[in-house]
């Protein structure tokens, strides 16, 4: 708040500023820019005659009523996670040469940015086990849609078979893009153990299937048998698209080594703060045969006439400078700063660090699931997240929020078949003490549950 600029309350000064902007009133200034639904049609509810310091104190008190990951204990994930971000990440991404450049088109002045893009691509290729990667796309959901369209361009087919274990937002983005791409999307249900129903997936794949999209681990945190899920698609010569959590690839096999042709995902967990859910970045890796049709930018390494290494945007003719009607994807920025944070984070972790972090996530996730003692929706191997049935979900949230704990995400928002489901996320920031606190609250709520909701407790598994 100390960085807030001075705003004059003098009518004459405000009018001069508006005149300089070419408008006659505040209403005219914001018309068309701020949606009607969020505009305040009255003065701020602040007592008159307050000094600047008193106003700041009042606003600070209001702001402290908000919950955030720094002051609350957060078990909510579902795509955005409360991971620790080391100080070195912010220290590097806030350097002016990274923070202020608009676009890295000019190699002679952007070697640092271009090298960072190249190193990022290299890291993504090593994580995913695939040959080529771009320099980041908007987010994980748009990367999934782009992957499906890339598959269509490659094999000229029009169907997408997607597991319901893929993030619901990604499936929604896929459905939206598919309409424009003249593709159809068929969703495959989850089996009773929370993993993708393999028989249903095999039945859904046909000769017009452009790609099969699965997620590893899936939205419920279950570890999928990726090789087995890829098999029906490979038999029909469809592309295999894997939506991966990059932080789990230290303990899970790289998708490219299990049959995936394209691997995409959300990069927020790599050194990006939650920041109210964004901005973040997506990553996109594929086999080399897709190189010329991949969306986004690709940085390459070359040598100048004196043999010195240099970095350039390469293969730009595939997207950067072709006619608009021939472009395959509407990407005009690469979320490069967020991707740089991801690169710095991966460099900070190192090869051993990402394995150790993955092992920690596995241990604590299984420990938390056992300690909560609730019926598991996905009882098999899980990483970072798991889903459980809660007899009194409203009671749990009420009790936990009173303790400044967010116990998870209600699964019923995304899966009507799990109205009493809770998705619990575990990161390295969730200590055993945090897990014990949540387990204690769960135990308290369960003791009260028989009187409050006997019907739910008697419901079948």
């Amino acid at each position: 708040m100390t960085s807030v600029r001075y705003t004059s309350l003098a009518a004459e000064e405000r009018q001069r500023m508006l005149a300089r902007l070419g408008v006659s009133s505040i209403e005219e200034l914001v018309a068309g820019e701020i949606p009607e639904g969020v505009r305040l049609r009255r003065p701020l509810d602040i007592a008159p005659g307050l000094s600047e310091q008193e106003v700041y104190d009042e606003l600070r008190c209001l702001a402290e009523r908000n919950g955030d990951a720094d002051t609350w204990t957060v078990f909510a994930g579902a795509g955005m996670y409360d991971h620790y971000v080391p100080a070195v990440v912010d220290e590097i991404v806030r350097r002016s040469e990274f923070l202020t450049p608009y676009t890295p088109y000019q190699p002679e002045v952007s070697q640092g940015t271009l090298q960072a893009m190249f190193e990022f691509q290299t890291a993504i290729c090593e994580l995913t086990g695939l040959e080529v990667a771009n320099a980041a796309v908007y987010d994980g959901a748009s990367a999934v849609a782009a992957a499906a369209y890339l598959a269509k361009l490659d094999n000229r087919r029009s169907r997408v078979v997607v597991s319901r274990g893929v993030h619901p937002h990604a499936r929604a983005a896929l459905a939206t893009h598919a309409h424009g791409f003249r593709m159809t999307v068929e969703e495959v249900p989850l089996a009773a153990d929370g993993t993708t129903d393999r028989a249903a997936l095999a039945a859904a794949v046909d000769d017009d299937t452009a790609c099969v999209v699965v997620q590893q681990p899936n939205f419920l945190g279950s570890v999928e048998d990726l090789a087995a899920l890829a098999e029906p698609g490979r038999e029909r010569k469809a592309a295999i698209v894997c939506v991966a959590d990059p932080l789990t690839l230290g303990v899970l096999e790289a998708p490219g080594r299990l049959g995936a042709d394209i691997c995409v995902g959300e990069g927020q967990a790599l050194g990006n703060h939650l920041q109210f859910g964004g901005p973040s970045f997506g990553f996109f890796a594929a086999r080399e045969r897709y190189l010329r049709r991949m969306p986004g930018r690709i940085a390459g390494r070359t040598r100048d006439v004196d043999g010195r290494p240099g970095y350039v945007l390469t293969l730009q003719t595939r997207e950067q400078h072709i006619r608009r009607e021939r472009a395959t994807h509407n990407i005009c920025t690469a979320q490069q700063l967020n991707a740089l944070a991801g690169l710095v984070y991966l460099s900070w972790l190192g090869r051993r660090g990402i394995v150790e972090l993955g092992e920690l996530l596995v241990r604590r996730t299984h420990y938390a699931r056992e300690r909560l003692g609730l019926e598991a929706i996905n009882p098999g191997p899980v990483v970072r997240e798991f889903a459980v049935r809660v007899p009194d979900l409203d009671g749990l949230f009420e009790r936990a929020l009173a303790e400044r704990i967010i116990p998870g995400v209600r699964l019923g928002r995304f899966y009507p078949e799990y109205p009493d489901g809770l998705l619990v996320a575990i990161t390295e920031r969730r200590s055993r003490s945090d897990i014990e606190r949540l387990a204690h609250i769960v135990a308290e709520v369960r003791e009260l549950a028989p009187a409050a909701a006997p019907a739910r407790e008697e419901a079948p598994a």
Side-chain angles (χ1 to χ4, degrees):
M1 295 183 65
T2 54
S3 63
V4 174
R5 297 292 186 268
Y6 170 71
T7 302
S8 171
L9 294 178
E12 292 182 359
E13 290 183 353
R14 291 169 63 181
Q15 203 57 45
R16 281 204 303 272
M17 288 189 285
L18 291 170
R20 184 67 177 270
L21 295 172
V23 295
S24 59
S25 66
I26 295 293
E27 291 298 315
E28 185 180 350
L29 177 66
V30 302
E33 302 296 332
I34 300 178
E36 288 288 335
V38 299
R39 290 170 63 178
L40 188 64
R41 294 291 186 180
R42 59 173 173 76
L44 291 174
D45 187 16
I46 297 177
L50 297 180
S51 67
E52 182 177 294
Q53 178 180 332
E54 290 171 326
V55 171
Y56 281 156
D57 290 342
E58 173 70 13
L59 295 178
R60 185 177 295 108
C61 288
L62 292 174
E64 288 175 351
R65 294 166 58 184
N66 291 324
D68 61 74
D70 290 331
T71 56
W72 285 50
T73 304
V74 180
F75 289 92
M80 289 283 169
Y81 301 98
D82 178 28
H83 280 286
Y84 175 70
V85 178
V88 66
V89 173
D90 288 337
E91 184 67 21
I92 291 180
V93 299
R94 289 175 182 174
R95 290 178 63 92
S96 61
E97 57 266 43
F98 290 125
L99 188 62
T100 60
Y102 168 63
T103 186
Y105 279 124
Q106 297 81 27
E108 65 276 15
V109 295
S110 306
Q111 280 296 290
T113 298
L114 289 165
Q115 181 176 357
M117 294 167 68
F118 180 83
E119 302 291 355
F120 170 80
Q121 294 165 194
T122 303
I124 294 299
C125 286
E126 291 183 358
L127 278 177
T128 60
L130 292 166
E131 292 90 357
V132 294
N134 69 16
V137 290
Y138 284 129
D139 55 23
S142 61
V144 173
Y149 188 51
L150 178 61
K152 177 189 178 183
L153 289 174
D154 182 66
N155 56 32
R156 304 292 179 183
R157 299 178 179 180
S158 62
R159 290 184 70 246
V160 178
V161 174
V162 58
S163 164
R164 277 177 61 78
V166 174
H167 195 298
H169 292 168
R171 283 186 279 126
L174 177 62
T176 300
H177 283 70
H179 177 74
F181 296 156
R182 298 179 181 177
M183 302 176 74
T184 59
V185 179
E186 181 171 345
E187 291 191 357
V188 174
L190 296 177
D193 64 353
T195 60
T196 302
D197 187 326
R198 290 168 56 181
L201 185 141
V205 177
D206 62 17
D207 291 336
D208 191 36
T209 301
C211 62
V212 175
V213 185
V214 295
Q215 182 167 318
Q216 179 72 308
N218 71 18
F219 185 70
L220 303 185
S222 293
V223 177
E224 299 273 16
D225 187 344
L226 186 56
L229 293 176
E231 190 174 340
R234 302 202 71 79
E235 290 176 354
R236 300 279 188 161
K237 301 188 184 306
I240 309 301
V241 178
C242 178
V243 186
D245 177 346
L247 261 192
T248 67
L249 294 179
V251 290
L252 298 178
E253 183 59 278
R257 300 189 184 97
L258 294 175
D261 300 299
I262 304 170
C263 182
V264 296
E266 170 61 51
Q268 180 272 329
L270 302 177
N272 279 250
H273 298 276
L274 282 172
Q275 300 177 138
F276 301 99
S280 183
F281 68 97
F283 62 87
F284 195 115
R287 299 202 181 280
E288 189 170 2
R289 67 189 181 91
Y290 296 106
L291 178 60
R292 291 186 176 275
R293 286 175 168 161
M294 282 176 55
R297 293 170 178 152
I298 296 177
R301 183 166 61 188
T302 185
R303 292 188 179 278
D304 64 12
V305 294
D306 297 320
R308 296 173 300 186
Y311 299 88
V312 295
L313 288 184
T314 188
L315 298 169
Q316 295 184 59
T317 51
R318 77 208 155 83
E319 181 133 8
Q320 300 289 336
H321 301 303
I322 64 174
R323 293 195 301 274
R324 177 180 295 181
E325 62 271 21
R326 295 190 60 190
T328 60
H329 212 81
N330 179 27
I331 290 179
C332 53
T333 184
Q335 301 294 85
Q336 181 53 39
L337 195 65
N338 300 86
L340 175 63
L343 173 63
V344 176
Y345 181 79
L346 285 171
S347 302
W348 174 76
L349 271 180
R351 291 179 183 274
R352 186 59 204 162
I354 195 170
V355 174
E356 293 175 350
L357 179 55
E359 292 172 344
L360 182 147
L361 294 179
V362 172
R363 288 197 303 271
R364 287 193 185 173
T365 304
H366 282 260
Y367 174 76
R369 186 172 65 179
E370 181 179 345
R371 281 294 295 127
L372 294 190
L374 296 165
E375 179 190 348
I377 292 175
N378 52 338
V382 290
V383 182
R384 192 217 289 279
E385 276 173 310
F386 59 93
V388 290
R389 297 184 188 277
V390 182
D392 183 6
L393 200 52
D394 291 338
L396 174 61
F397 268 87
E398 181 180 356
R399 180 72 180 83
L401 293 178
E403 297 284 337
R404 301 172 73 87
I405 295 174
I406 300 176
V409 173
R410 295 174 187 260
L411 267 182
R413 292 174 53 189
F414 308 107
Y415 295 84
E417 60 268 41
Y418 305 131
D420 56 351
L422 180 70
L423 185 64
V424 182
I426 303 294
T427 70
E428 77 281 11
R429 292 195 66 189
R430 298 290 75 82
S431 65
R432 288 205 170 198
S433 174
D434 294 334
I435 295 170
E436 295 296 338
R437 287 177 62 202
L438 180 59
H440 180 70
I441 292 172
V442 168
E444 286 185 346
V445 174
R446 293 183 70 180
E447 289 180 3
L448 298 174
R456 286 191 174 187
E457 191 170 79
E458 294 169 3

